[in-house]
Amino acid sequence: MRFDVVVIGGGLAGMVCAIGLAEQGKRCAVVSSGQSALYFSSGSLDLLAQLPDGTPVDAPLAALPELVRQAPRHPYSLIGAERVAPLSDQAAQLLQRCGLNLQGSNERNHLRITPLGTRRATWLSPQAIGELPWESVAVIGIEGFLDFQPQLAADSLMQALGVRTEVNWLHLPALDRLRNNPSEFRAVNIARVLDLPENRMPMADELRRLAGDAEAIFLPACLGLEEDAPLLALQAAVGKPVRLLPTLPPSVLGMRLHQALRRRLQQLGGVFMPGDSVLRADIDAGRVTGLYTRNHGDIPLQAQQVVLASGSFFSNGLAADFDGVREPVFGLDVDSQADRADWSRSDLFAPQPYLQFGVRTDGRLRALRHGEALTNLYAIGAVTGGYDPLRQGCGAGVSLIGALHVAQQIAAEEERP
């Protein structure tokens, strides 16, 4: 099976890279081993929220020179700070072409409300998640839904921001069947019920009653599995702003993001291979010549270019053994600590060193093997090292910007004689 590009990994980095290439006419295949990490995300995308020394960042682009000084192996540093701004603009435009209605700017982070009622700096977020311009809000949970606790969010909003809050619980007979089975009473299943047009007016009537005089309503993100239309229609029926707060995984907002990317890829003629994984590769004269997957057995996938976007430990893109950390498909060079005792810190809230482990690349993001770049293998996203996605608040940005940087490198490579 021959393609122009094979992308290993169906998360944010892999999908965006494949879409960027497909938009340029490349025939792409994405091999996805399982559920995307986007299913566990809030749906918001970070660019840069904090420097490695702990300094908070309000303006990500202005902070890039200092980031390069502090972290020369950070993917932004390797790509080049001057390229991050145009690539981030292109990323926002690509997401818009995927049908995603996101708010935010790369010039300045905005603050989104978290499920605990705190505010967190971010780059792009769904329109349903925004800042807090109101003095009074009603935080309304769903009766029997344990993955969101409205009292916690309300208390934080009141104590930290001085917002007047009221807590209530929504009960709808339409949810009784799910409620009777706790294993099914999850955000995704609830959204499938609440998105039905026949449930909109009963829900709106109940929300108006529960909200009272509050200026706005906060709900758990159990609405709008496919698009914004159900939320917009509900908001119009209620007559007040309605905002969503992310819940425990699986995340409706994260799933919507992944589904939008998958639809766009397939509209462009890309091939998506779910439930498959690359087990090994043929490498000859510094090039990847064939990929062997679980589902295709001895039939290799062949491509001019290969992109590794297999994720970190969570997605098995990296493997931790007693002998160290390794990349399991190609045997690539990995940045890590030799002593296992240095991999983590006993303080759960301290920066964890293992989060910066990952595949070593050059400035073009070509993966290194035995110190040499494989000429047609690139590595992007969480499988790469040199940054802490949690502490630095840059995981999504690294994935998006790296994906489009590599798409440009591949396009330029194809244009060379």
Side-chain angles (χ1 to χ4, degrees):
M1 299 178 69
R2 294 181 179 274
F3 300 91
D4 295 325
V5 184
V6 171
V7 179
I8 304 171
L12 181 63
M15 295 296 283
V16 167
C17 187
I19 291 169
L21 288 163
E23 288 182 337
Q24 299 179 65
K26 305 298 181 186
R27 185 165 185 261
C28 299
V30 175
V31 182
S32 179
S33 62
Q35 199 171 74
S36 166
L38 286 172
Y39 281 51
F40 297 82
S41 79
S42 67
S44 293
L45 305 171
D46 298 335
L47 183 59
L48 182 65
Q50 185 171 287
L51 291 172
D53 66 2
T55 303
V57 170
D58 291 326
L61 298 183
L64 289 177
E66 180 60 20
L67 175 69
V68 172
R69 188 188 71 79
Q70 292 187 25
R73 294 296 302 171
H74 192 288
Y76 292 166
S77 304
L78 295 176
I79 292 170
E82 71 284 355
R83 297 188 181 96
V84 172
L87 287 169
S88 60
D89 287 334
Q90 293 167 28
Q93 293 163 10
L94 182 146
L95 294 172
Q96 188 173 30
R97 293 194 295 273
C98 293
L100 292 161
N101 185 22
L102 303 175
Q103 59 181 326
S105 165
N106 58 10
E107 295 290 340
R108 185 164 297 277
N109 287 326
H110 66 278
L111 298 175
R112 67 175 178 88
I113 307 298
T114 73
L116 296 180
T118 59
R119 294 191 295 178
R120 189 178 188 279
T122 194
W123 168 33
L124 299 173
S125 59
Q127 294 288 343
I129 301 177
E131 299 188 52
L132 192 66
W134 307 288
E135 295 181 357
S136 65
V137 298
V139 185
I140 299 176
I142 297 174
E143 185 176 340
F145 180 56
L146 303 180
D147 293 347
F148 175 76
Q149 297 300 317
Q151 190 65 61
L152 291 176
D155 288 348
S156 293
L157 290 171
M158 183 171 56
Q159 294 172 13
L161 304 177
V163 177
R164 296 194 308 275
T165 59
E166 184 174 343
V167 175
N168 269 304
W169 296 88
L170 175 69
H171 178 84
L172 285 179
L175 295 174
D176 285 347
R177 182 186 61 81
L178 292 178
R179 190 178 290 106
N180 292 333
N181 187 342
S183 65
E184 293 186 9
F185 207 54
R186 294 290 181 262
V188 174
N189 293 331
I190 293 172
R192 291 192 177 105
V193 175
L194 297 184
D195 284 353
L196 297 174
E198 59 264 30
N199 293 325
R200 188 167 302 141
M201 289 313 299
M203 184 177 180
D205 292 341
E206 185 70 359
L207 288 176
R208 276 197 302 269
R209 184 183 69 82
L210 295 173
D213 296 330
E215 298 175 69
I217 297 171
F218 280 10
L219 294 174
C222 300
L223 190 70
L225 185 58
E226 297 288 341
E227 56 183 357
D228 289 328
L231 176 62
L232 297 175
L234 176 66
Q235 186 169 253
V238 173
K240 292 183 178 182
V242 178
R243 296 293 183 266
L244 303 180
L245 296 179
T247 67
L248 292 177
S251 161
V252 168
L253 297 171
M255 287 180 64
R256 186 196 301 173
L257 175 55
H258 181 264
Q259 289 166 358
L261 295 174
R262 179 171 174 174
R263 280 196 302 270
R264 177 64 174 164
L265 174 66
Q266 292 175 324
Q267 288 169 356
L268 293 166
V271 178
F272 188 75
M273 301 180 180
D276 200 359
S277 56
V278 176
L279 302 179
R280 60 187 179 88
D282 288 334
I283 299 175
D284 182 41
R287 290 182 59 85
V288 177
T289 57
L291 301 169
Y292 296 88
T293 76
R294 188 182 308 278
N295 292 349
H296 291 88
D298 293 333
I299 302 174
L301 303 182
Q302 296 179 320
Q304 291 297 313
Q305 308 288 342
V306 179
V307 180
L308 180 66
S310 51
S312 188
F313 301 98
F314 176 80
S315 304
N316 298 318
L318 298 175
D321 300 327
F322 285 107
D323 296 333
V325 177
R326 60 186 177 86
E327 187 282 311
V329 176
F330 302 96
L332 301 174
D333 298 344
V334 174
D335 283 321
S336 66
Q337 299 285 349
D339 191 339
R340 290 177 63 91
D342 295 329
W343 291 6
S344 62
R345 299 285 181 263
S346 58
D347 181 356
L348 180 63
F349 298 100
Q352 300 297 327
Y354 74 87
L355 289 173
Q356 299 208 39
F357 295 176
V359 168
R360 198 173 297 161
T361 68
D362 64 8
R364 293 176 57 189
L365 300 189
R366 295 182 302 178
L368 303 184
R369 186 170 183 261
H370 308 313
E372 298 291 332
L374 295 175
T375 57
N376 68 335
L377 176 63
Y378 299 83
I380 57 175
V383 75
T384 60
Y387 70 104
D388 184 331
L390 298 182
R391 180 176 172 82
Q392 295 166 13
C394 62
V398 166
S399 292
L400 288 165
I401 289 166
L404 293 184
H405 178 66
V406 163
Q408 290 181 357
Q409 301 302 309
I410 290 175
E413 181 71 22
E414 295 295 322
E415 292 174 359
R416 293 189 182 102

